[in-house]
């Protein structure tokens, strides 16, 4: 009797391979299991392994870089293919089809987030941050303390000995004048906004949620010039969370179907 190596298992079905072992890419398969992940046809000749799964050469060529599904129609960006509805800004998730697209580290960005990311990276670069002094036109100014009894820095609460930055009645070390959300220094050329818990850079301020008033870090819904977290985009009447692709608008407010109909009936 021929012996069977029970340790030889197929990398697709995980069952023991009793005969006709097919080896490819350092893995072993039943002959019938070695099929393209997309078209399910037996792979003959060249193939590509992607995320541990085999693809025939043709299907891999048209694989969407976002969802890993084969494209019928596609957009090409940086030698990658995307479904039109998968071609989105790498930061905010907004669709980019038909819009200006910016390449950063091989990923697509909308103009707003490209500028934001470039600005954040510039501030993280010690060579640039060390020579840049935070201020804003007409709102913050530089001064020399007039005596040894000058106010402490509002940022770190330590005594300021030397040049300081004044904003309103408060004084800061130049390196302590930071955004209260992202924590990055606010540079000389940038706008900033006064908040209850400090100052906020313009980049974070532009992504404040119109409902909860906190900064949106990822995907958002844009409605009537305001941004919302997905969880904060709610019916103006019953406060049910709305599907951003299926809601009703009345007087520039978003409603669920039931409340929209009630509002329309009451108006008539």
């Amino acid at each position: 009797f021929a012996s069977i190596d029970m340790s030889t298992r197929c990398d697709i079905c995980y069952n023991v391979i009793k005969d006709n072992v097919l080896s490819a890419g350092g893995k072993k398969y039943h002959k019938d299991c070695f099929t393209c992940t997309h078209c399910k046809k037996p792979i003959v000749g060249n193939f590509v392994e992607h995320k541990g799964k085999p693809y025939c050469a043709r299907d891999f060529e048209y694989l969407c870089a976002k969802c890993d599904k084969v494209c019928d129609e596609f957009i090409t960006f940086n030698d990658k293919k995307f479904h039109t509805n998968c071609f989105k800004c790498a930061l905010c998730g907004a669709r980019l089809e038909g819009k200006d697209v910016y390449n950063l580290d091989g990923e697509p960005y909308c103009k707003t987030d490209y500028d934001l990311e470039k600005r954040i990276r510039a501030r993280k670069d010690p060579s640039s941050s060390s020579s840049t002094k935070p201020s804003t036109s007409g709102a913050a100014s530089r001064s020399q303390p007039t005596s040894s009894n000058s106010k402490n820095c509002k940022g770190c609460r330590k005594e300021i000995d030397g040049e300081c930055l004044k904003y309103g009645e408060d004084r800061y070390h130049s390196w302590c004048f930071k955004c209260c959300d992202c924590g990055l220094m606010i540079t000389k050329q940038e706008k900033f906004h006064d908040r209850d818990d400090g100052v906020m850079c313009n980049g974070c301020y532009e992504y404040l949620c119109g409902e909860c008033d906190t900064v949106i870090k990822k995907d958002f819904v844009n409605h009537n010039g305001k941004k919302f977290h997905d969880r904060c985009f709610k019916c103006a009447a019953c406060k049910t969370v709305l599907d951003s692709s299926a809601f009703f608008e009345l007087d520039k407010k978003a409603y669920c179907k039931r409340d929209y109909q009630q509002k329309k009936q009451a108006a008539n």
Side-chain angles (χ1 to χ4, degrees):
F1 295 98
S3 62
I4 298 173
D5 185 356
M6 300 299 291
S7 66
T8 305
R9 294 182 177 271
C10 174
D11 279 280
I12 295 293
C13 70
Y14 303 110
N15 290 323
V16 174
I17 304 174
K18 296 180 179 180
D19 53 18
N20 295 327
V21 177
L22 192 155
S23 298
K27 296 182 179 181
K28 296 179 174 60
Y29 305 89
H30 291 108
K31 183 177 180 180
D32 293 339
C33 288
F34 191 58
T35 58
C36 173
T37 301
H38 174 71
C39 67
K40 307 303 181 186
K41 295 179 180 178
I43 296 177
V44 179
N46 294 334
F47 75 98
V48 179
E49 184 177 327
H50 178 65
K51 295 183 178 180
K53 298 179 180 180
Y55 290 82
C56 64
R58 186 217 175 265
D59 284 341
F60 181 78
E61 182 181 355
Y62 292 95
L63 209 62
C64 175
K66 182 70 175 179
C67 70
D68 284 337
K69 295 181 180 178
V70 173
C71 303
D72 293 322
E73 297 181 357
F74 58 87
I75 294 172
T76 300
F77 173 79
N78 199 32
D79 295 328
K80 299 177 183 178
K81 294 179 174 63
F82 297 83
H83 292 106
T84 54
N85 60 345
C86 288
F87 189 52
K88 299 177 180 180
C89 173
L91 185 61
C92 71
R95 289 183 60 173
L96 295 175
E97 182 185 7
K99 299 179 181 179
D100 292 335
V101 182
Y102 296 80
N103 188 335
L104 187 60
D105 297 334
E107 297 294 332
Y109 282 77
C110 64
K111 185 180 188 317
T112 299
D113 288 328
Y114 175 82
D115 291 342
L116 174 63
E117 188 67 20
K118 292 286 283 186
R119 179 167 53 84
I120 289 174
R121 293 186 185 194
R123 282 190 283 171
K124 286 182 177 179
D125 182 354
S127 63
S128 61
S129 61
S130 61
S131 60
T132 305
K133 305 292 186 179
S135 181
T136 188
S137 179
S141 61
R142 246 172 249 294
S143 68
Q144 293 286 344
T146 56
S147 72
S148 60
N149 296 322
S150 60
K151 293 182 178 179
N152 288 349
C153 171
K154 186 180 179 182
C156 68
R157 307 299 180 186
K158 295 180 180 180
E159 183 179 355
I160 298 175
D161 182 15
E163 186 181 31
C164 70
L165 187 146
K166 288 181 63 178
Y167 175 56
E169 297 298 319
D170 299 315
R171 295 171 185 253
Y172 297 82
H173 294 108
S174 59
W175 57 86
C176 289
F177 196 64
K178 300 177 181 180
C179 173
C180 61
D181 186 79
C182 68
L184 295 176
M185 285 176 55
I186 298 174
T187 64
K188 183 177 180 180
Q189 294 80 16
E190 291 176 306
K191 296 180 181 178
F192 62 86
H193 303 264
D194 200 11
R195 302 283 289 172
D196 291 340
D197 52 350
V199 292
M200 180 175 285
C201 69
N202 198 55
C204 289
Y205 186 81
E206 288 183 353
Y207 282 86
L208 281 177
C209 175
E211 175 70 16
C212 69
D213 201 39
T214 61
V215 177
I216 300 168
K217 302 296 184 182
K218 199 174 180 183
D219 296 344
F220 64 88
V221 179
N222 200 333
H223 180 249
N224 276 328
K226 294 183 178 180
K227 297 179 176 69
F228 299 86
H229 294 101
D230 289 339
R231 65 179 182 275
C232 292
F233 187 55
K234 301 176 181 179
C235 172
C238 69
K239 300 303 179 182
T240 300
V241 176
L242 298 172
D243 183 344
S244 61
S245 63
F247 66 93
F248 297 81
E249 185 171 340
L250 183 64
D251 297 330
K252 295 185 178 181
K253 295 181 180 180
Y255 291 92
C256 64
K257 183 177 181 180
R258 184 194 64 183
D259 287 321
Y260 172 79
Q261 292 174 339
Q262 290 179 352
K263 292 283 184 181
K264 291 290 286 184
Q265 290 172 2
N268 294 331

